Amino acid sequence: MSKRASCVIIVLLLALAMPAVVMPSAAAGLPGDEDGNNRLTETELARSILSALKSGPQLDLADARNAAHIYVYWHGAPRSIVDTTGRPVTIYRPVKRIVVLSSDGARAIQILGAEDKVVGITDTVQKFPFYFPTISQQSVVGTWREVNWEAVVALDPDLLIAPPAGTINADLAAGKLEGFNITVVGLYLYVTDDYDRIFEELEELALLLEKEEAAARYIAWDDDYEAQVHDFVAGREKPDVFLTYTSGAIGKTSDISSYGPGSTLYLLCEKAGGRPITEHATSSYPKVNAEWVLAENPDTMVMLCGNVFGWWDIESEPADLLQQLMAGKSWGTLNATVNNQIFAVPWSVTNGFEHTYGIVLLAKILHPELDIDPAEVSKEFLEEFLRVDYPEGEKKVLAYSGLATFKT
Amino acid sequence: MRRLPGGTANLRNSGLRCRAAVLMVLFFTLFIVNGPLTTVQGAGIEAVNRVAPASPEPGAEFVVTLQLGGELPLVVGITENLPAGFKFLSTSCEHFEVSGQRLLLAVINETEVRYTVKAPSSGAGTFSGTWADMLSEREGSIAPTAVNVGGTATGPVSPASSGTAAAPSAAPEVPGFEAVFTTLSLLVVTLLAVVALKGGRDT
């Protein structure tokens, strides 16, 4: 074979291979939808299959299979939602590869049982392999404030889940990924001032991922516990509660951070049968001083602190935090102090879908006679919805107040 | 780079090196263009069986039945290869195409498909086929069915009692992997081309 002939063959073969490089992995529109009316008919499906079969022994059936799936399970139509940013989001093929840019999104995916589809995450998810045993192993594409968009594209996802607002948000992602055939959906997947929205978001994500049953199962579980708590606290006297968090309260006698109407912890406290003493605050995160707290004389104090996820391994950690909280403040006569009702609670009680457990835990703190064990709720959430092992009997500290400490 | 059998030095002046490079390019390109056939095991159709008379009369029309073992919903693509001399006439399947002796069927929510064939005046042959489940990604073969026109049956291959479905590949589908292979292959191709051209200059 001459050198020239060899060169010609190489060039020809390279030309043949190029479409595999430059063609997008999936074109817009339903596969097999020949007339482009977003309605896949039986005839169109059949033609798609026959066309694939004609390709010979090395079948490329991916699009025909997608068409079959859509015809049978999607009734021949694309799936659409309006995400929390207000943008219509439509998918034309089953989602197989997901990049998720928040831990709340990762938790939602895990609840839905779609973790096998995740190919890209942010570093927060990577840091918690206990909570996200599968998802945490995937490629890290950035942090909550910085994303490597080239890395996202390289992972070839067909869906990217981003928060609707914040430094990294869905609109930003949609702009960065324009032209790459990656569907962007903006969902918080955590509790906002519009409380029911978190459940709507879960249902919308479930629709895109074809996991409606899993979403319904979680929502039913949450409904059951919320109803139990609601019925129990209804008509009971609501204790006055001061809500704060570590860095906003420790070492301070003024400008102590609290939670006002519209914040997640405030909302959960109300659902748990408490009356936050900041009820007249004009912001979601008001600042108060130690004297004002003394004057309000709350019956219970709750400080969010410690780990973002889970619990403390030993009691001394939350005990130290409570000591630091009290240092420099003349709160010794507070009802909360006298009654040993100052609790250190991990941040995780407000985390996304884990808030069901948070409501029960707060209700138990505020109304100790409630006949629900928060540890059992935490166990159910972890085992049944996140499918991770609960540290049964390991005496992890779920909430600390000295005398009334909750453990696993 | 991996050495070719016989040693690179022996190839340098013989032209074989260039041919080897081209063959490798061909291999890689075919791999890229056609893509690896990967399937994922899943629930769905288990097998397709064929029922046909073992010894049809010469010139007679006879019915071949394909039985799809599975529950609705079903979406299956079937390729049937008719033996030479046997002529396809019609099918109960609404969606089909015929190309020479190949009958392509798109079976949607049916558990049985029939097609009618006209036998030649004499001779024997074997019906063969493959199926691909479009909902479960399972694929398999339909056991061959031998027919002997006007004669004695040549073998008990109809219906296929063993279930006939070829075991699906356990290789997981890795979407996007093609792009990696493509990129790697293109790099190899480019490298080979450079080497081939350089080798040619050496001669």
Side-chain angles (χ1 to χ4, degrees):
Chain A
M1 189 181 291
S2 72
K3 187 175 76 179
R4 182 169 296 178
S6 302
C7 290
V8 169
I9 290 173
I10 288 170
V11 169
L12 280 173
L13 295 175
L14 276 171
L16 276 171
M18 283 312 277
V21 177
V22 299
M23 281 178 67
S25 57
L30 291 173
D33 181 22
E34 292 177 342
D35 57 11
N37 68 347
N38 277 341
R39 178 63 63 175
L40 188 69
T41 64
E42 181 175 318
T43 301
E44 287 173 326
L45 168 62
R47 287 168 66 91
S48 176
I49 294 169
L50 293 173
S51 174
L53 292 178
K54 274 194 289 190
S55 63
Q58 291 277 23
L59 300 179
D60 183 7
L61 298 174
D63 256 10
R65 283 196 158 114
N66 282 334
H69 186 96
I70 290 162
Y71 178 77
V72 170
Y73 299 115
W74 298 11
H75 308 294
R79 292 197 156 198
S80 297
I81 64 163
V82 176
D83 72 8
T84 303
T85 67
R87 297 177 314 123
V89 175
T90 302
I91 56 167
Y92 299 92
R93 284 165 173 72
V95 173
K96 292 177 178 169
R97 296 172 68 80
I98 302 170
V99 169
V100 57
L101 299 183
S102 73
S103 57
D104 300 294
R107 189 190 293 101
I109 289 170
Q110 203 155 311
I111 288 171
L112 296 177
E115 57 265 41
D116 60 321
K117 297 179 192 294
V118 176
V119 295
I121 55 173
T122 49
D123 63 337
T124 309
V125 177
Q126 187 192 39
K127 289 172 186 168
F128 296 96
F130 171 81
Y131 265 56
F132 307 112
T134 303
I135 300 178
S136 64
Q137 305 304 311
Q138 303 308 312
S139 300
V140 174
V141 298
T143 66
W144 64 274
R145 60 180 178 179
E146 191 171 13
V147 168
N148 180 343
W149 300 106
E150 287 79 14
V152 171
V153 171
L155 290 172
D156 192 27
D158 34 33
L159 185 71
L160 179 133
I161 304 168
T167 309
I168 300 298
N169 59 67
D171 285 337
L172 174 74
K176 294 285 187 183
L177 299 175
E178 192 173 357
F180 288 103
N181 202 25
I182 299 169
T183 302
V184 174
V185 57
L187 300 170
Y188 287 113
L189 298 162
Y190 61 77
V191 176
T192 62
D193 54 349
D194 180 4
Y195 180 68
D196 288 337
R197 184 66 193 137
I198 185 174
F199 304 106
E200 294 167 359
E201 286 187 327
L202 187 68
E203 288 175 323
E204 287 159 2
L205 183 60
L207 183 78
L208 297 180
L209 303 183
E210 303 178 69
K211 299 287 185 183
E212 293 94 326
E213 284 185 18
R217 188 167 158 266
Y218 169 81
I219 291 170
W221 178 80
D222 174 86
D223 280 348
D224 181 46
Y225 276 118
E226 283 203 45
Q228 287 186 57
V229 170
H230 177 271
D231 292 348
F232 183 83
V233 302
R236 289 175 186 266
E237 188 176 350
K238 294 180 178 178
D240 293 339
V241 186
F242 179 60
L243 305 168
T244 186
Y245 61 91
T246 330
S247 58
I250 285 178
K252 295 182 177 179
T253 53
S254 61
D255 286 340
I256 300 170
S257 299
S258 186
Y259 295 87
S263 66
T264 302
L265 189 61
Y266 185 100
L267 195 154
L268 299 186
C269 179
E270 282 193 317
K271 283 183 170 292
R275 187 191 73 84
I277 59 173
T278 49
E279 63 183 343
H280 300 300
T282 53
S283 80
S284 298
Y285 302 95
K287 306 282 189 184
V288 299
N289 59 49
E291 288 72 29
W292 180 82
V293 175
L294 194 62
E296 290 291 321
N297 193 18
D299 303 304
T300 303
M301 201 178 301
V302 173
M303 179 171 70
L304 289 187
C305 50
N307 295 323
V308 173
F309 289 93
W311 41 70
W312 291 280
D313 289 335
I314 49 176
E315 285 189 17
S316 59
E317 291 181 48
D320 286 348
L321 292 172
L322 286 187
Q323 266 194 339
Q324 292 177 56
L325 168 69
M326 301 299 285
K329 303 182 180 81
S330 304
W331 286 353
T333 58
L334 287 177
N335 285 343
T337 310
V338 173
N339 298 327
N340 195 43
Q341 278 286 104
I342 302 177
F343 281 84
V345 174
W347 291 94
S348 57
V349 299
T350 62
N351 278 358
F353 295 96
E354 203 160 348
H355 79 270
T356 311
Y357 155 68
I359 290 173
V360 173
L361 179 65
L362 290 175
K364 188 73 175 176
I365 287 172
L366 302 177
H367 303 279
E369 63 275 27
L370 174 69
D371 192 23
I372 306 175
D373 181 359
E376 280 301 311
V377 182
S378 176
K379 180 182 178 181
E380 286 176 15
F381 179 76
L382 290 174
E383 291 188 343
E384 294 184 25
F385 296 103
L386 294 190
R387 292 172 298 288
V388 299
D389 291 331
Y390 183 73
E392 184 87 58
E394 294 181 24
K395 304 294 181 190
K396 306 285 187 186
V397 181
L398 297 172
Y400 178 85
S401 79
L403 294 177
T405 295
F406 297 93
K407 294 184 179 179
T408 63
Chain B
M1 182 183 289
R2 189 175 163 191
R3 282 178 183 271
L4 293 168
T8 309
N10 295 337
L11 295 173
R12 182 163 292 150
N13 299 318
S14 65
L16 284 175
R17 185 179 173 191
C18 225
R19 288 179 210 167
V22 171
L23 282 173
M24 287 183 74
V25 169
L26 180 63
F27 170 79
F28 275 109
T29 308
L30 287 175
F31 190 75
I32 293 162
V33 171
N34 292 314
L37 183 64
T38 55
T39 55
V40 175
Q41 187 147 358
I45 191 168
E46 292 295 330
V48 177
N49 293 333
R50 183 189 301 103
V51 179
S55 49
E57 293 299 315
E61 295 178 7
F62 63 94
V63 173
V64 177
T65 303
L66 298 174
Q67 299 167 331
L68 285 68
E71 293 182 2
L72 299 180
L74 284 179
V75 181
V76 184
I78 295 176
T79 301
E80 278 281 88
N81 299 302
L82 280 58
F86 290 76
K87 186 182 177 188
F88 169 80
L89 296 178
S90 64
T91 176
S92 66
C93 183
E94 190 177 342
H95 310 288
F96 71 97
E97 279 189 29
V98 179
S99 173
Q101 292 304 101
R102 227 160 47 117
L103 170 62
L104 308 177
L105 302 163
V107 185
I108 300 171
N109 289 333
E110 302 281 349
T111 55
E112 187 175 286
V113 169
R114 296 164 187 265
Y115 62 91
T116 305
V117 177
K118 185 175 183 181
S121 54
S122 64
T126 302
F127 287 79
S128 64
T130 57
W131 55 268
D133 188 339
M134 296 294 164
L135 293 176
S136 72
E137 302 200 12
R138 197 177 283 247
E139 297 173 13
S141 301
I142 307 171
T145 304
V147 294
N148 188 6
V149 177
T152 324
T154 54
V157 286
S158 176
S161 56
S162 61
T164 71
S169 164
E173 187 177 53
V174 186
F177 220 56
E178 295 88 341
V180 175
F181 271 108
T182 302
T183 309
L184 280 173
S185 303
L186 286 172
L187 285 172
V188 170
V189 164
T190 308
L191 184 62
L192 286 172
V194 170
V195 170
L197 290 173
K198 192 167 183 289
R201 277 199 297 275
D202 288 343
T203 60

